[in-house]
Coordinates of all heavy atoms in Angstrom, one line a residue:
Chain D
K2 N 0.7 2.1 -1.0 CA 1.5 3.4 -1.1 C 0.7 4.5 -0.4 O -0.5 4.5 -0.5 CB 1.7 3.8 -2.5 CG 2.4 2.8 -3.4 CD 3.9 2.9 -3.4 CE 4.5 1.7 -4.1 NZ 5.8 1.4 -3.6
V7 N 2.7 15.5 4.8 CA 3.4 16.3 5.8 C 4.5 17.1 5.1 O 4.8 18.3 5.5 CB 3.9 15.5 7.0 CG1 5.0 14.5 6.5 CG2 4.6 16.4 8.0
A20 N 11.7 26.5 -11.1 CA 11.8 27.6 -12.1 C 13.3 28.0 -12.2 O 13.8 28.1 -13.3 CB 11.0 28.8 -11.7
E22 N 16.0 26.3 -11.7 CA 16.9 25.3 -12.3 C 17.0 25.5 -13.8 O 18.1 25.2 -14.4 CB 16.6 23.9 -11.9 CG 15.4 23.3 -12.6 CD 15.2 21.8 -12.1 OE1 16.1 21.0 -12.2 OE2 14.1 21.6 -11.6
N25 N 19.9 27.7 -15.0 CA 21.2 27.2 -15.1 C 21.8 27.0 -16.5 O 23.0 27.0 -16.7 CB 21.3 25.8 -14.4 CG 21.2 26.0 -12.9 OD1 21.6 26.9 -12.3 ND2 20.6 25.0 -12.3
Y63 N 49.0 44.0 -1.5 CA 47.8 44.8 -1.2 C 47.9 46.2 -1.8 O 46.8 46.7 -2.1 CB 47.5 44.8 0.3 CG 46.8 43.6 0.8 CD1 47.4 42.6 1.5 CD2 45.5 43.4 0.4 CE1 46.8 41.4 1.8 CE2 44.8 42.3 0.8 CZ 45.4 41.3 1.5 OH 44.8 40.1 1.8
D97 N 33.8 48.6 -13.9 CA 33.4 50.0 -13.6 C 33.3 50.3 -12.1 O 32.3 50.9 -11.7 CB 32.1 50.3 -14.4 CG 32.3 50.3 -15.9 OD1 33.5 50.3 -16.3 OD2 31.3 50.3 -16.7
D112 N 35.6 33.7 2.1 CA 36.6 34.2 3.0 C 35.9 35.2 3.9 O 35.7 36.4 3.5 CB 37.7 34.8 2.3 CG 38.9 35.3 3.2 OD1 38.8 34.9 4.4 OD2 39.7 36.0 2.7
G182 N 41.0 35.2 12.5 CA 40.0 36.3 12.6 C 39.2 36.4 11.3 O 39.8 36.3 10.2
E207 N 51.8 10.0 5.5 CA 52.5 11.2 6.1 C 51.8 11.7 7.3 O 52.3 12.6 8.1 CB 52.7 12.3 5.1 CG 53.7 11.9 4.0 CD 53.7 12.9 2.8 OE1 53.2 14.1 3.0 OE2 54.3 12.6 1.8
F294 N 47.0 18.9 26.0 CA 47.5 18.6 24.6 C 49.0 18.3 24.6 O 49.8 19.0 25.1 CB 47.3 19.8 23.7 CG 45.9 20.4 23.7 CD1 45.5 21.4 24.5 CD2 44.9 19.8 22.9 CE1 44.3 21.9 24.5 CE2 43.6 20.3 22.8 CZ 43.3 21.4 23.7
K323 N 59.7 19.5 22.7 CA 60.6 18.9 21.8 C 60.2 19.4 20.4 O 59.1 19.3 20.0 CB 60.4 17.3 21.9 CG 61.5 16.6 21.1 CD 61.4 15.1 21.5 CE 61.3 14.2 20.3 NZ 61.1 12.8 20.7
Chain F
K2 N 56.0 18.4 25.4 CA 55.3 18.9 24.2 C 56.2 18.6 22.9 O 57.4 18.7 23.0 CB 55.2 20.5 24.2 CG 54.5 21.0 25.4 CD 53.0 21.1 25.2 CE 52.3 21.4 26.5 NZ 51.0 20.9 26.6
V7 N 54.6 17.5 10.7 CA 54.0 16.9 9.5 C 52.9 17.8 9.0 O 52.7 17.9 7.8 CB 53.3 15.5 9.9 CG1 52.3 15.7 11.0 CG2 52.8 14.9 8.7
A20 N 46.8 36.5 5.1 CA 46.8 37.8 4.4 C 45.4 38.1 4.0 O 44.9 39.2 4.2 CB 47.7 37.7 3.2
E22 N 42.6 37.3 5.3 CA 41.6 37.6 6.4 C 41.6 39.1 6.7 O 40.5 39.6 7.1 CB 41.8 36.7 7.6 CG 43.0 37.0 8.5 CD 43.1 36.1 9.6 OE1 42.2 36.0 10.4 OE2 44.2 35.5 9.8
N25 N 38.9 41.0 4.9 CA 37.5 41.0 5.3 C 37.0 42.3 5.9 O 35.8 42.5 6.0 CB 37.3 39.9 6.4 CG 37.4 38.5 5.8 OD1 37.1 38.3 4.6 ND2 38.0 37.6 6.5
Y63 N 10.3 35.3 -16.2 CA 11.6 35.2 -17.0 C 11.6 36.2 -18.1 O 12.7 36.7 -18.5 CB 11.8 33.8 -17.5 CG 12.4 32.9 -16.4 CD1 11.6 32.0 -15.7 CD2 13.7 33.1 -16.1 CE1 12.2 31.3 -14.7 CE2 14.3 32.3 -15.1 CZ 13.6 31.4 -14.4 OH 14.1 30.7 -13.4
D97 N 26.4 47.5 -15.9 CA 26.9 47.7 -17.3 C 26.9 46.4 -18.0 O 27.9 46.1 -18.7 CB 28.2 48.5 -17.3 CG 28.1 49.9 -16.8 OD1 26.9 50.4 -16.7 OD2 29.1 50.5 -16.5
D112 N 23.0 27.8 -7.1 CA 21.9 27.1 -7.9 C 22.6 26.5 -9.1 O 22.9 27.2 -10.1 CB 20.9 28.1 -8.3 CG 19.7 27.4 -9.1 OD1 19.7 26.2 -9.1 OD2 18.9 28.2 -9.6
G182 N 17.2 18.7 -12.0 CA 18.2 18.9 -13.1 C 19.1 20.2 -12.8 O 18.6 21.2 -12.3
E207 N 5.2 18.0 13.5 CA 4.5 17.8 12.2 C 5.2 16.7 11.4 O 4.8 16.4 10.3 CB 4.5 19.1 11.5 CG 3.5 20.1 12.2 CD 3.6 21.5 11.6 OE1 4.1 21.7 10.5 OE2 3.0 22.4 12.2
F294 N 9.6 1.1 -1.3 CA 9.2 2.4 -0.6 C 7.7 2.3 -0.3 O 6.9 2.2 -1.3 CB 9.5 3.6 -1.4 CG 10.9 3.7 -1.9 CD1 11.3 3.3 -3.1 CD2 11.9 4.2 -1.0 CE1 12.6 3.4 -3.5 CE2 13.2 4.3 -1.4 CZ 13.6 3.9 -2.7
K323 N -2.9 5.1 -1.4 CA -3.8 5.9 -0.5 C -3.3 7.3 -0.5 O -2.2 7.6 -0.3 CB -3.8 5.3 0.9 CG -4.8 5.9 1.8 CD -4.8 5.0 3.1 CE -4.7 5.8 4.4 NZ -4.6 5.0 5.6

Side-chain angles (χ1 to χ4, degrees):
Chain D
K2 304 269 170 209
V7 63
E22 73 181 305
N25 287 327
Y63 275 105
D97 292 348
D112 181 11
E207 293 172 11
F294 306 98
K323 188 168 130 184
Chain F
K2 304 270 173 210
V7 62
E22 71 182 306
N25 288 328
Y63 276 103
D97 291 348
D112 181 12
E207 292 173 12
F294 306 97
K323 187 168 130 186

